[in-house]
Amino acid sequence: MNSIHPANEWLAMHDTFYRKHRIYQMQWAELDLSKFRVAASSFGGPIALFRDDRQLLEAGSGPLLDSAIRVYSASGNLIGKIEYDGLHIAAFSWNAREQLLCVQEDGNVRVFSLDDSHQASFSLGPEAKEKGIIDVRFWDQGLVALTGDYRFVYVNDIGEPKPKMLANAHITEMPHSWTIVPPHLTLSHHVEVLVSVGATILSIDAAGVQDQLLDQGPYACISVSPNGRLVSLCSDRNCVQVVSMDFQRSFSEYHHEQPGDVPVEIAWCGSDAAVVNFSSQVLLVGPFGETLSFPHDTPAHLVQEPDGVRIFGALEHSFLCKVGAESKSVFQIGSTSPSALLYDALESMRQHSSRADEIVRSIRDEMPAAVDTCIAAAGAEPIVEYQQSLLRAASLGKSFLAMYNGDKLVDMCRSLRVINCLASYDVGIPATLMQFQSLPFEEWVQRLLNRNKHQLALHVCRYMEEPSDQVYIHWACAKIRASSTLDDDALYRVLRERLDHLQPAGISSYVDIAEVANTCGYQRLAIKLLQHEPRAANQVPLLISMGQEEAAMAEAIRSGDSDLVYFVIFHLFKAMPLADFFQVIGRTKVAGQLFEKYCIDQDAPVLEDYYFQDDAFAKSARLILIENLGERDVAKLVANLKVALKMLHNDKTAALETHAMDTQIKLLQTQHQLEQDTPGHIFVGLPLNQTLALCLTLGNYSRASKLRNEYKVPERRYYWIKLHALVVRRDWAELARLANAKKSPIGYRPFVDECIQALQYQEAAKYITRCEPPSERATLYLKIGFYHEAAQAAAASKDVDTLRQVRSAARDPTLQHDVALMIDQITSRS
Amino acid sequence: MPSNSNQPEPDLLQLRAILRDELISILETIRGAKSLVLDKDLAGALSSIVDFAVLKDHGVEKIYLLEPGPLPATTPSTGIIYFSMPHVRKMKWIAEHIRRNSSSPHDYSLHLVPRRTLLCERVLEEEGVLGDITVSEYRMDFIPLEDDLLSLELPNTFKDLYLDGDFSSIQYVARAVMRLQTLYGFFPRIVGKGDFARILADSLTRMRLEMVAASNASAKNTAVLAMSSVFDSVVIIDRAVDLVTPLLTQLTYEGLISEVYGITNGFVTLPQQQQQQQQNTPNTPNTASASQSPASPPSPPPPPPPSASGSGSAPRRKRLALNSQDDAIYRETRSMNFASVGSLLSKMSRQLQDTYESRHKAKTVQEIRSFVGKLGSLQAEHQSLKAHVSLAETIVKRTQSDDFNSLLDIEQTLVAGSDLSKEQMAYVEKLFALADPLATAPGVPGSDNVTSSTQMLSPPAQAPHSLYKCLRILCLYSLCRSGQSGFKQKVYDAWYEELVSAFGHQQTVTLDNLSNAGLFVSPATAAAAAMVAGKSNTNAQAAAINTSTSTGTGLLNTVAPSTRPRNSVHTNSMAFLRKSLNLVVSDVRESDPEDISYVYSGYAPLSVRLLQCLVRDPAVYTAPTSNRYASLLLRPLNMSLQTASNRPASLQTSDDGTQNTGGVKNGWTGWEDVLNELPGETVDLVQTPGDGDSETAAGAADAMIRRLGEKAPATLVVFLGGCTHTEIAALRLLSLQHNHRYVAATTEIINGNSFLDPLIQKNLPIK
């Protein structure tokens, strides 16, 4: 036990303790940080350094001051170097995936990844380009940039950048300071900006600007607490203030009386203490205005973590956080809590003292809580020896319990082992347990992979019994990128051998590897690898980008996803000569059909060519027909349809269609003529039957009759149409003529029905006598209220039921009497 | 529904809450005031998820319909949110909006429903607006219209699948089913019939494998891959398997409302006439009151939903919600054969009268108070009863008309396998001769707004002789009469000419569509197709075997989806099916139905009969006593031979004697001859908890199903290409009889008109 006791590092502030623990002695050799611009990633991520080009440079000040961005691990080991040849950088920062975002002054953003696997760039839009970018603030997914005319551009999702402007606050001078409130902390779920302008602070979002009406500004730095409830401010008169997010309530205020000390930055340690980085010291300001001071000689930088603040300078890297209740319970001087006793017991046992037994007995019922507390305290403890002691204490306590689920202890041991591994100088990711648990496990594996620590990543995955596919995929990608001597086949063999050997079950996705192979120029390798990919959706775009159109089409169809097929079709349509395209499309029915539908949806004229090339005459004709449905110019219409007719003549199976087309052309000409003969009526476009009907309703009987012959309208249909038209026209004389011309082919019942429907009962009655069979007649008479006739007809056909109905319907007593007699007659006779 | 209390019942209505929450979170992505622009195809469905008040609470100020041309009156609001189906045409409209408004840029976002597609993004990119609009998706999967009815409310699926060869909807259905599987666990068994049923099953399998792979790659999430204890299986019925059913006139109450008025998204639109009868009842609970925002300018017509009837556009119409949750009377009556609805309604009104009368008997203060307490619900019931009585009255007028009965007579004749009589043929002739080419039909989108001259004049009791009516008969004739010499080429040719003469030249396109979809096929074409099918029969089977062993080449490459039976051995498939499946039942008790055939007064929907085959329902076996039948009876029964003489079905074989006997058993085994006469592939898959699926027949898998699926209280029945209200009613009857929940999940709810409508070539507006 040669480490200092944890409690020795504790510093009391009011009723709580804070602990500043040195995690690393920086491995970079005495770097003068003041010459650099610094961006450090949270969750123990890397630190990027870039020569501050706004500072004058001494001649011959060393190779470190060239135009490269150097990336160090948190322990100060150089892990990467990005040659930067772009314009001046306005700001740079790490995103959640450990990619470095550099915002140039011309509004372009460049994205670099640690392992060179990814490079991208996008623009912040025309306004940014025109006015230039002065400063930028970042959050996990997005960023807000301050333009040269003091407006704010924001991007919500860097993966899919859509730069948008925040509301115009009409700021005319450079803001003293500003910060953002990331979307997950605002009520509106949209990003907001807090800007110190004059003596006040403006909060700006996409919808509007709100003046918070403060009077103690200007503020040199602003910071929003991790839970989004509080804001800490430091005015340029060194007054530190903590206020509520809505600026309505002030919680603590502290005046830092040390002239010459300039506030550099401000951060939060947890959610209840602000950390201000002055030029000569770091000051922790608690909720009640009490402070702790940590002086420093060389410039220091703060990195806000969810559970504390990391402070690093040229020499060392330390972590400042609040001491948790569990640690306090075990280690606080004079603590008599069960966990402290248990820890004591362990010490006694190590010294082979019998007191150990006594102590354990005295804990009794509180043992489970004591064990739990020791485990939790181990999680919060940065020094490995104390972690071990605490876990041993927990283990000791556990052995006195009959029922205790040991999973918690096992999990803690495992997690701590991984965390300690990550925190080693070699890796340099100093994450706390709380940080470790708040990111998914894959993220941590990814961080190892970013640093090309494949072996370690694999061990960690196996140790934690988590799937290790991503390790293999990353390894394979790196392997392909790194190899320069092997050809496709050799590389393929190497990859397969290694992957099969290590992961016999196969890895879940080959697309990423294939993509890397493709970009590195190993196209054959990419195709080979893709054959192992189970998901068609992943293959198709890559196959297309490799020019493997046929394979892409086959895969798209295999996927059963029409969108993918469309995607391929669309691509081919743009990329290929039309004739070739038609051939490819025509080869698969599925694609052909989808292409047709796409064209119809788009009204694309290319469909005509497609049908023509395919000798699809009937389809071509149909297309012409459909296209001309809205055409009112008869001459043009007829001409077009004649073209269609010509096509149809080529297709012997379309006899009916051909005939219909022929008839339609004739009909259109007839209709045109009719329109000229009877102005004011529209004939063109009517179906044949309606043309007839209109003729008839206009009283043009002879013309109708001519039409009927010309178009060979069946007699029965003609009778129906004429009958209906005449009734509509109320031309009873003509109707009688129609009925009498010869025996009606449709019978006379329709005459009656049509008249009844037109409420012409007298007319209807005329035709009832001619209805067959006679038994029907009585009901028909009854329907129109002709009771006498109904009675007679019913009597004639001996229809007693109808007679009874007549009797009950009729109002005339004599008729009723007669009907009764008839009923008697019929019933008695039978 | 009698529910077994100890079994988990799927609460399908929770899906609506999920959809609503997702919709609201989309609205919140845009800060401040915003306008919605809705695709017409979606407006109705969206309105059944949220109502206007909720939208308003989340900052929606105006709602427009997505149409070509400029966005009406650019609004001062900052955000414009589009909801659109992923259709190329609509992307172009949106691009047009953005370009026209480039002077005053808005915050545009587009939510593709139900899925974001690469194609749409490409189109937007081509149009040069992809940078100005945020594209994402709103995954509107199954909307629970009732607690046993899910619908995607996707229009035109049958046409897309069988005419256009566009199988996008399969992907949508697959995603929707996957969502159900993530909520309720994987269905232990997938059975189905039809080519697209097969493709859907294939997609489901692939998605599951991908999910397994994804979960392997990330966390060990075994909960995601659990088997369902709620659903014993999913039964996929491709509409192509049963084209006859949707063409028939539905005879249940709900079905007839659909036939007479049309039901869209659970609402029926009534003309003014009916409304006036209810005018004295201003606060009817069923009628969504017009809550259109007053802020809305008069110029852009607000869409009918979600703000009820809309304030200015169609004042003479009104929407009545038809759902069982708020309307007890509808719950009772919706699935009844209409013949018995009248007596039930009058019984209900008598009961209501009695309850009202009871106030006279109330003597003590407590009695009076208890009566007053009931008053509210009584009045609600009263209103609803009034609405239904008036609906029923109009429907009675229709069902008593000669026209209706002639039509019904023709339908019944055809499904019974007979040819039309001379009189029936004459009636068809009359239909053509007096046809009204402009008439629309209930159930067809747009029928609410467009009213032809005759429709204006004729009372709702009289349906106009619309194209739909004619086509329904023609298609039915073709489907029922083809295969034998029953459908003469001469008749086909004559009808072709009749139809074109009556409805115009563009109907040649319609006829071609119908032929391609297998609905109205020239006997010559059918014969030729049968020849080809006969030859390629073996090929097809070989291909089927291929695809079953590996999905390497993809089904779509080997299967040419078709609505014609591929492996038919009988010359007259229809007759064979009619007999084997007992499709036509002569004595139907309409008031107290024993068999699902009550929904068409004597015809049992084939689709539901297929489900009964899977369930081994005795209703499929009863009736004829021919020798052929005796052997038929034996088929599925290796387990209980002794009962073969009588009712062999396994419905009686459950050991514990409980009535919980529904659910899918043993897949299709024993029904091969029936399946051969139906179009499309057969699906029978077992999903095991491990990776990988296997074709069934593995005994172990069956055992596992028995273990997992036996007690599962529900079966999901997916209709690809739409289902009718009668089919839903039939499923409800089965649910009661089997004490097992059959949940219908469909792409849309159709009637004959809306089924045929997409296949009809419309007359384009004059240029």
Side-chain angles (χ1 to χ4, degrees), chain A residues 462-777:
Chain A
R462 290 196 178 147
Y463 181 66
M464 294 297 274
E465 290 169 15
E466 292 279 351
S468 47
D469 285 26
Q470 55 169 331
V471 181
Y472 292 109
I473 292 171
H474 192 276
W475 170 80
C477 295
K479 176 82 188 165
I480 294 170
R481 256 188 236 113
S483 43
S484 52
T485 51
L486 295 171
D487 70 348
D488 291 66
D489 297 323
L491 203 48
Y492 179 71
R493 265 198 310 280
V494 170
L495 291 177
R496 286 297 297 178
E497 216 169 85
R498 187 63 67 88
L499 293 177
D500 286 349
H501 177 64
L502 289 169
Q503 188 83 329
I507 55 175
S508 59
S509 170
Y510 283 85
V511 159
D512 297 336
I513 311 177
E515 201 156 349
V516 170
N518 186 42
T519 42
C520 292
Y522 296 104
Q523 213 186 78
R524 268 188 308 131
L525 174 65
I527 295 167
K528 270 187 165 170
L529 287 169
L530 266 189
Q531 286 165 354
H532 297 282
E533 171 59 39
R535 271 168 285 190
N538 293 344
Q539 300 175 30
V540 173
L542 187 56
L543 283 170
I544 282 193
S545 72
M546 292 194 294
Q548 301 286 313
E549 281 91 3
E550 303 247 342
M553 180 69 90
E555 283 304 325
I557 294 173
R558 185 174 74 93
S559 75
D561 182 347
S562 59
D563 185 37
L564 284 177
V565 183
Y566 270 130
F567 180 76
V568 178
I569 294 176
F570 203 92
H571 172 81
L572 298 184
F573 184 45
K574 297 281 161 202
M576 277 184 161
L578 210 53
D580 297 353
F581 170 72
F582 287 153
Q583 267 197 342
V584 174
I585 291 295
R587 234 171 282 157
T588 42
K589 189 181 170 214
V590 179
Q593 280 186 319
L594 286 180
F595 177 65
E596 272 181 59
K597 174 153 192 198
Y598 170 77
C599 289
I600 291 169
D601 253 18
Q602 287 253 52
D603 295 324
V606 67
L607 192 57
E608 239 169 87
D609 302 334
Y610 179 58
Y611 285 153
F612 180 77
Q613 172 267 336
D614 206 27
D615 287 345
F617 299 113
K619 281 183 174 176
S620 297
R622 216 168 290 144
L623 196 64
I624 295 174
L625 192 168
I626 293 170
E627 277 170 359
N628 284 289
L629 280 176
E631 184 59 64
R632 275 292 285 154
D633 183 342
V634 179
K636 219 163 148 191
L637 184 54
V638 168
N640 289 340
L641 290 188
K642 277 184 175 160
V643 174
L645 183 63
K646 218 165 153 188
M647 291 190 177
L648 279 175
H649 279 306
N650 290 322
D651 188 344
K652 294 285 163 272
T653 60
L656 287 170
E657 274 181 283
T658 316
H659 180 247
M661 185 70 80
D662 197 24
T663 315
Q664 176 69 7
I665 292 172
K666 265 192 348 206
L667 181 63
L668 283 169
Q669 286 158 341
T670 312
Q671 287 173 334
H672 189 55
Q673 190 60 46
L674 278 168
E675 277 186 7
Q676 284 173 346
D677 297 348
T678 47
H681 294 280
I682 293 175
F683 277 94
V684 173
L686 290 181
L688 176 62
N689 290 1
Q690 291 230 307
T691 312
L692 272 175
L694 184 56
C695 254
L696 290 164
T697 14
L698 293 174
N700 200 345
Y701 302 132
S702 59
R703 191 65 177 268
S705 176
K706 215 180 119 205
L707 279 177
R708 181 208 147 183
N709 290 330
E710 203 176 323
Y711 291 96
K712 300 196 185 64
V713 176
E715 193 178 31
R716 295 158 63 89
R717 192 203 306 171
Y718 184 66
Y719 258 75
W720 271 113
I721 296 172
K722 187 156 183 184
L723 163 65
H724 190 72
L726 292 178
V727 171
V728 169
R729 202 178 140 76
R730 305 284 192 265
D731 189 343
W732 310 122
E734 185 65 25
L735 187 64
R737 229 166 287 141
L738 179 72
N740 296 328
K742 61 176 187 179
K743 188 169 178 295
S744 159
I746 53 172
Y748 291 92
R749 174 72 191 266
F751 284 69
V752 179
D753 287 344
E754 286 290 322
C755 289
I756 291 178
Q757 211 177 334
L759 308 177
Q760 300 296 325
Y761 299 141
Q762 283 296 343
E763 284 300 320
K766 282 187 201 161
Y767 301 102
I768 291 180
T769 45
R770 306 171 73 170
C771 282
E772 293 296 335
S775 53
E776 256 185 12
R777 294 176 194 158

Side-chain angles (χ1 to χ4, degrees), chain A residues 54-161:
Chain A
R54 285 175 288 208
Q55 280 189 31
L56 286 175
L57 184 62
E58 267 175 58
S61 49
L64 280 181
L65 297 176
D66 57 12
S67 70
I69 301 172
R70 275 155 214 279
V71 181
Y72 292 89
S73 73
S75 56
N77 285 319
L78 186 67
I79 54 173
K81 189 171 164 192
I82 299 164
E83 294 298 339
Y84 194 84
D85 48 3
L87 279 152
H88 288 302
I89 294 177
F92 64 150
S93 170
W94 298 93
N95 70 4
R97 291 164 57 206
E98 290 198 328
Q99 289 167 335
L100 188 66
L101 305 168
C102 299
V103 184
Q104 294 177 174
E105 284 173 355
D106 64 350
N108 277 324
V109 183
R110 295 174 63 176
V111 185
F112 302 96
S113 72
L114 262 178
D115 57 356
D116 296 337
S117 64
H118 180 82
Q119 274 212 18
S121 64
F122 59 88
S123 155
L124 289 177
E127 291 91 346
K129 187 169 181 173
E130 197 182 315
K131 306 288 181 196
I133 299 294
I134 302 174
D135 201 1
V136 191
R137 295 287 183 276
F138 302 84
W139 78 93
D140 288 358
Q141 267 95 45
L143 60 86
V144 179
L146 175 65
T147 64
D149 57 347
Y150 311 124
R151 293 205 52 188
F152 294 95
V153 182
Y154 71 100
V155 170
N156 257 330
D157 180 2
I158 287 164
E160 215 173 307

Side-chain angles (χ1 to χ4, degrees), chain A residues 233-283:
Chain A
L233 307 165
C234 182
S235 75
D236 59 355
R237 294 187 299 277
N238 287 358
C239 171
V240 183
Q241 263 181 298
V242 174
V243 296
S244 64
M245 191 64 210
D246 55 6
F247 294 90
Q248 296 302 306
R249 287 193 296 162
S250 176
F251 291 96
S252 62
E253 211 171 306
Y254 170 77
H255 291 273
H256 182 58
E257 312 285 357
Q258 208 163 54
D261 225 7
V262 188
V264 180
E265 55 186 330
I266 189 164
W268 282 84
C269 180
S271 276
D272 52 5
V275 182
V276 191
N277 184 11
F278 287 101
S279 43
S280 71
Q281 60 185 319
V282 171
L283 197 70

Side-chain angles (χ1 to χ4, degrees), chain A residues 154 156 160-164 188-192 205-208 442 464-470 508 534-537 541 553-567 570-571 574 588-590 593-594 597-598 600-603 619 622 625-632 641 656-664 685-690 711-714 716-718 720-721 724 746 749 753-754 757 783, chain B residues 28-32 87-89 92 107-108 115-120 122-123 126 130-135 159-160 162-171 199 202-203 206 210 213-220 402 422 425-426 429-430 432-438 462 489 492-494 496-498 500-506 508-509 512-513 516 522 551-557 560-561 761-767:
Chain A
Y154 71 100
N156 257 330
E160 215 173 307
K162 292 245 155 64
K164 288 177 195 163
S188 62
H189 298 298
H190 291 266
V191 67
E192 287 175 21
D205 69 1
E442 302 96 80
M464 294 297 274
E465 290 169 15
E466 292 279 351
S468 47
D469 285 26
Q470 55 169 331
S508 59
R535 271 168 285 190
M553 180 69 90
E555 283 304 325
I557 294 173
R558 185 174 74 93
S559 75
D561 182 347
S562 59
D563 185 37
L564 284 177
V565 183
Y566 270 130
F567 180 76
F570 203 92
H571 172 81
K574 297 281 161 202
T588 42
K589 189 181 170 214
V590 179
Q593 280 186 319
L594 286 180
K597 174 153 192 198
Y598 170 77
I600 291 169
D601 253 18
Q602 287 253 52
D603 295 324
K619 281 183 174 176
R622 216 168 290 144
L625 192 168
I626 293 170
E627 277 170 359
N628 284 289
L629 280 176
E631 184 59 64
R632 275 292 285 154
L641 290 188
L656 287 170
E657 274 181 283
T658 316
H659 180 247
M661 185 70 80
D662 197 24
T663 315
Q664 176 69 7
L686 290 181
L688 176 62
N689 290 1
Q690 291 230 307
Y711 291 96
K712 300 196 185 64
V713 176
R716 295 158 63 89
R717 192 203 306 171
Y718 184 66
W720 271 113
I721 296 172
H724 190 72
I746 53 172
R749 174 72 191 266
D753 287 344
E754 286 290 322
Q757 211 177 334
K783 219 175 185 175
Chain B
E28 283 179 348
T29 55
I30 296 235
R31 186 106 171 80
H87 294 155
V88 173
R89 213 169 346 116
K92 296 202 154 179
D107 198 351
Y108 296 101
R115 174 177 187 219
R116 175 181 182 170
T117 64
L118 295 166
L119 179 69
C120 286
R122 282 301 289 268
V123 172
E126 290 272 306
L130 189 60
D132 304 318
I133 188 162
T134 319
V135 184
K159 180 230 182 196
D160 282 349
Y162 281 97
L163 188 65
D164 297 345
D166 178 355
F167 45 94
S168 311
S169 51
I170 296 298
Q171 198 73 11
I199 289 165
D202 208 52
S203 293
R206 186 178 312 101
E210 285 177 7
S215 66
N216 273 354
S218 61
K220 305 164 280 188
D402 290 346
K422 223 176 126 195
M425 279 294 198
E429 256 172 39
K430 175 188 163 187
F432 283 123
L434 299 186
D436 175 2
L438 297 178
Q462 211 152 24
Q489 186 66 39
Y492 178 85
D493 292 352
Y496 192 100
E497 202 271 329
E498 286 271 10
V500 175
S501 304
F503 296 100
H505 182 223
Q506 77 269 24
T508 56
V509 179
D512 190 60
N513 291 345
N516 288 336
S522 150
T551 50
T553 47
L555 279 168
L556 282 160
N557 278 334
Q761 176 61 48
K762 308 289 183 310
N763 215 340
L764 297 181
I766 285 160
K767 276 177 196 164

Side-chain angles (χ1 to χ4, degrees), chain A residues 401-415:
Chain A
L401 292 170
M403 303 274 288
Y404 185 84
N405 187 348
D407 289 356
K408 232 191 251 177
L409 181 61
V410 175
D411 284 350
M412 181 60 78
C413 289
R414 285 184 176 200
S415 301

Side-chain angles (χ1 to χ4, degrees), chain B residues 266-313:
Chain B
F267 284 88
V268 59
T269 307
L270 303 175
Q272 173 69 359
Q273 194 186 354
Q274 231 105 9
Q275 196 187 349
Q276 264 169 352
Q277 294 174 1
Q278 299 167 8
Q279 199 93 93
N280 44 357
T281 66
N283 289 325
T284 310
N286 310 319
T287 58
S289 59
S291 58
Q292 184 63 32
S293 95
S296 218
S299 47
S307 52
S309 60
S311 53
S313 56

